[in-house]
Amino acid sequence: MTRRTVLIAGLGDCGVLTAMRLARRDDLDVVGVSAKPALVSGQELGWRLSRPDHWARHNWIAFDRFRALDGVRTVHGTLTGVDLDARTVSVATADGGSAVERYDALIIATGVTNGFWRRPTLQTADEIGADLRAAHGRLAAARSVIVVGGGAAAVSSAANVALTWPDTRVDLYFPGERGLTAHHPRTWARVRDRLEAAGVRLHPGHRAELPDDFTGDEITAGPVSWRTGQPPASADAVLWTVGRVRPNTGWLPGDLLDDDGFVAVTPQLRVPRQRGVFAVGDVAATDPLRSSARNRADALLAHNVVAEFEGRPLRSYRAPRSRWGSVLGIQRDGLEVFAPNGRAFRFPAWSFERVLMPWIVQRGIYRGVRAPAER
């Protein structure tokens, strides 16, 4: 039996799920490279900011807790380059050294940088915890908060801050007539009602003035100026969630990327003209929403990697027209999840810890998660 090595560059949500599927096979060695020593999800920003301990319980999970990753070798480090001819990647390891990892198939899943909550920085567990506490503390100390942006991260943050600190004034500024423009209009109508009930002040038609070197990598203070002509607005804390994502592709050659720096892929999630090289998640230019990050493309990708090894036909990824899923995260009255058509269905609050997380997520999706060691 010929053994092959699949190297997964990036162990975020997509990378971890793809690694789990491939690790089931006895004829594959699966290696994952990650800048974090754990899965640190980039989802549910509002929940993360307002209740970081509860968020971490379900979204910050050390790799050795996943039973389905027992057969995966993880490398803690940052990717510095790839040799496509030699089929190797270079890694700056967390201990200050360097390593070269060989592959037969390469899966690029390095994601994007998006504000302070999604960065490719090499971190220890202590540093991850410090980041969580710092952002939470900054907002807890504020008497007024401005959230700039109209996407899910902005809307979720505004709602959760208002609900967690009801005495804090929260203003949400977004450029269009409505927020959540990538979602079905029904989703915004429902979420708008929830925002207003929480006391969030909505300001449509406001597009922020951003400097050329803007990164959004920190919570700031001071006035926010508007390109759309309104007077500047001020608050104790300003949360920038404007969707200015930057793909984590600096370690890749330019001919693998599209004009915006994302990895160009075919409908089969293959990188054109590169046999055995695939991409998935926010880094992959599958469609304008880069929706393979949120639509369980891990199953299709794992199939295609093996199919290419075996000379069988590959399957194509089909992107949904609208984003779907949770927007506000778990609340006292339960978890509301929106379908692509904007219809909402609710998991009651009691079911979240008793059914949804332990059975559907931990056992069904992750195939078993061990109890955490004391952190």
Side-chain angles (χ1 to χ4, degrees), residues 52-358:
D53 290 339
H54 189 221
W55 178 90
R57 190 185 313 162
H58 299 295
N59 294 280
W60 172 14
I61 306 173
F63 295 135
D64 59 8
R65 291 181 55 200
F66 292 108
R67 298 183 186 279
L69 290 183
D70 286 350
V72 176
R73 179 167 63 88
T74 60
V75 179
H76 188 193
T78 54
L79 292 142
T80 58
V82 59
D83 187 327
L84 296 169
D85 294 326
R87 305 181 79 76
T88 60
V89 298
S90 302
V91 183
T93 56
D95 59 6
S98 61
V100 174
E101 297 286 343
R102 187 193 66 81
Y103 64 83
D104 296 294
L106 171 65
I107 296 173
I108 302 167
T110 43
V112 296
T113 296
N114 186 11
F116 59 87
W117 64 96
R118 296 179 72 184
R119 292 184 293 177
T121 313
L122 187 68
Q123 287 185 304
T124 64
D126 287 344
E127 290 167 336
I128 294 168
D131 275 358
L132 289 175
R133 291 188 295 272
H136 174 78
R138 181 79 170 80
L139 294 175
R143 299 297 301 274
S144 57
V145 174
I146 286 175
V147 182
V148 184
V155 168
S156 169
S157 298
N160 279 280
V161 169
L163 291 166
T164 302
W165 297 288
D167 294 333
T168 299
R169 171 172 170 159
V170 180
D171 291 89
L172 174 63
Y173 293 85
F174 47 95
E177 295 182 1
R178 69 176 181 93
L180 299 179
T181 55
H183 293 69
H184 194 282
R186 288 195 195 100
T187 302
W188 169 244
R190 172 63 179 160
V191 171
R192 181 191 58 212
D193 291 344
R194 299 293 297 267
L195 289 166
E196 292 175 342
V200 176
R201 303 173 186 230
L202 304 180
H203 304 271
H206 285 67
R207 186 175 295 277
E209 187 81 48
L210 302 178
D212 292 338
D213 59 351
F214 173 83
T215 63
D217 286 348
E218 60 180 343
I219 299 172
T220 64
V224 180
S225 299
W226 310 105
R227 291 170 52 190
T228 39
Q230 298 90 346
S234 295
D236 295 336
V238 179
L239 180 62
W240 299 89
T241 52
V242 294
R244 185 171 283 192
V245 299
R246 307 184 300 280
N248 299 324
T249 53
W251 60 285
L252 293 170
D255 58 0
L256 300 190
L257 311 179
D258 68 6
D259 292 341
D260 297 315
F262 296 90
V263 180
V265 291
T266 68
Q268 295 75 35
L269 303 181
R270 269 187 54 182
V271 176
R273 300 176 299 280
Q274 297 293 335
R275 184 171 178 80
V277 182
F278 300 80
V280 70
D282 281 313
V283 77
T286 51
D287 59 282
L289 297 179
R290 298 185 305 282
S291 60
S292 70
R294 287 159 290 278
N295 288 280
R296 296 305 310 272
D298 53 285
L300 181 143
L301 178 56
H303 169 273
N304 284 355
V305 169
V306 174
E308 181 159 288
F309 283 148
E310 297 177 349
R312 294 186 285 110
L314 276 60
R315 298 173 182 167
S316 296
Y317 172 73
R318 295 182 180 179
R321 294 181 180 179
S322 300
R323 285 192 174 173
W324 64 279
S326 166
V327 175
L328 302 183
I330 180 64
Q331 302 296 324
R332 290 183 179 180
D333 59 353
L335 177 70
E336 201 166 48
V337 178
F338 295 90
N341 65 3
R343 303 291 185 187
F345 55 96
R346 180 185 300 278
F347 292 92
W350 65 265
S351 71
F352 185 78
E353 298 286 357
R354 299 181 192 177
V355 178
L356 179 62
M357 298 310 297

